[in-house]
């Protein structure tokens, strides 16, 4: 009888361990998860989807994303966003979006007091000025250091365009 109780207990413990191992792991949200959960980035998320960049920015990274808000996209000339979202303009949209991404995770404290040109994923460089706040080209970082599992997001007030 003792043996039966022992084997029953071991069986129950094994089943519990197996179920726990199969349970979904909770992990930190990635860059796309964070952007998707914030209504201020709905235009950015739509653009990432149209450019087929969602899987890239859900990847391992790390990435630093200078993320324009909906208001930043709305400040572009009338019709610009709609035109960029059309399938025939995917390459141009991809170039603009990847111009907002820098390889590696760079936090605002690493930029503080410095001026530098940094290569983007798009291939060109952006000018970062961290002497008084942080500016990327002519855009101001309005919220810095939103940490994601695969990098960091800095919210900017303008869409920066490659030359």
């Amino acid at each position: 009888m003792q043996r039966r109780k022992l084997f029953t207990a071991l069986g129950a413990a094994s089943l519990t361990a197996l179920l726990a191992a199969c349970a979904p792991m909770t992990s930190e949200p990635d860059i796309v998860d964070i952007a998707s959960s914030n209504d201020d980035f709905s235009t950015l998320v739509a653009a990432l989807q149209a450019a087929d960049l969602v899987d890239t920015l859900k990847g391992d990274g790390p990435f630093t994303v200078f993320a324009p808000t909906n208001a930043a996209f709305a400040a572009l000339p009338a019709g610009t966003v709609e035109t960029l979202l059309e399938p025939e303009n995917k390459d141009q949209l991809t170039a603009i979006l990847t111009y907002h991404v820098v390889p590696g995770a760079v936090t605002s404290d690493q930029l503080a007091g410095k001026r530098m040109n940094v290569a983007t994923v798009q291939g060109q460089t952006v000018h970062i000025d961290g002497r008084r706040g942080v500016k990327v080209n002519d855009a101001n970082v309005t919220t810095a250091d939103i940490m994601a599992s695969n990098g960091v997001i800095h919210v900017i007030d303008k869409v920066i365009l490659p030359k």
Side-chain angles (χ1 to χ4, degrees):
M1 194 64 160
Q2 294 285 347
R3 249 178 155 174
R4 182 177 286 163
K5 287 182 182 178
L6 176 63
F7 284 123
T8 302
L10 287 174
S14 297
L15 181 60
T16 302
L18 179 64
L19 290 174
C22 293
M25 302 282 291
T26 56
S27 62
E28 289 185 49
D30 59 42
I31 289 167
V32 175
D33 293 337
I34 291 171
S36 296
S37 69
N38 186 327
D39 290 340
D40 287 337
F41 296 124
S42 60
T43 305
L44 175 61
V45 171
L48 291 171
Q49 291 168 338
D52 290 328
L53 290 173
V54 170
D55 288 341
T56 301
L57 289 178
K58 286 182 92 45
D60 291 339
F63 306 104
T64 298
V65 176
F66 297 103
T69 61
N70 293 344
F73 280 103
L76 292 171
T80 301
V81 173
E82 294 77 12
T83 300
L84 287 171
L85 293 175
E86 293 174 1
E88 60 270 17
N89 297 319
K90 181 179 174 182
D91 290 343
Q92 184 181 8
L93 178 62
T94 300
I96 291 169
L97 293 173
T98 56
Y99 189 63
H100 288 78
V101 181
V102 173
V106 182
T107 58
S108 61
D109 62 330
Q110 294 170 302
L111 303 172
K114 299 177 184 168
R115 290 176 53 185
M116 64 191 87
N117 291 316
V118 179
T120 67
V121 171
Q122 182 262 357
Q124 294 181 20
T125 61
V126 289
H127 179 73
I128 298 176
D129 187 344
R131 294 176 300 170
R132 282 175 250 127
V134 177
K135 285 187 76 120
V136 182
N137 291 355
D138 62 344
N140 295 301
V141 172
T142 58
T143 304
D145 302 333
I146 300 171
M147 302 308 291
S149 63
N150 61 345
V152 61
I153 300 169
H154 301 292
V155 181
I156 57 174
D157 62 357
K158 291 183 182 175
V159 176
I160 54 176
L161 300 172
K163 296 181 176 150

